[in-house]
Amino acid sequence: YTHRYKGSIDNKYAIEMTLTTDGGAYYTGEYMYVKNKRPIQLSGHRVEDGDRLVLEEYVGDKMTGRFDGILGRNGYSGSRSYPFSVRPN
């Protein structure tokens, strides 16, 4: 399953995100700042409670950040270096 989202980081930096899962706990994808359109790779998994999704971002082989939030029907939101929120596109 692939889902596309639009939203922002810190309520000021517009982003687009694509997440893919086989229906299990593991997710891959990418996000990009709308302003520069450079994709940043994502990889992660749902945590034990099932609603929490933790994604690590990678540029090349280097982990550069982490998204930690709640994924539901209305989107994915939580914290990174700043709060983030994305909704289905």
Side-chain angles (χ1 to χ4, degrees):
Y1 305 97
T2 299
H3 302 278
R4 290 176 175 72
Y5 303 91
K6 287 186 176 183
S8 65
I9 293 175
D10 199 26
N11 287 320
K12 49 182 155 173
Y13 305 107
I15 62 170
E16 295 176 354
M17 183 181 286
T18 302
L19 296 177
T20 301
T21 181
D22 62 0
Y26 294 94
Y27 286 75
T28 59
E30 65 183 28
Y31 83 99
M32 66 181 79
Y33 291 92
V34 172
K35 187 174 182 175
N36 67 19
K37 298 282 189 189
R38 279 185 241 144
I40 300 167
Q41 300 303 307
L42 297 170
S43 177
H45 63 280
R46 285 192 183 259
V47 181
E48 302 83 38
D49 64 14
D51 291 333
R52 187 169 158 224
L53 176 63
V54 177
L55 296 170
E56 294 176 341
E57 64 177 61
Y58 291 88
V59 174
D61 291 337
K62 183 179 178 186
M63 188 179 92
T64 55
R66 188 170 136 158
F67 288 87
D68 188 343
I70 303 298
L71 178 65
R73 291 182 183 201
N74 294 326
Y76 177 43
S77 63
S79 63
R80 189 178 156 273
S81 298
Y82 299 98
F84 72 91
S85 178
V86 292
R87 298 214 177 270
N89 185 10

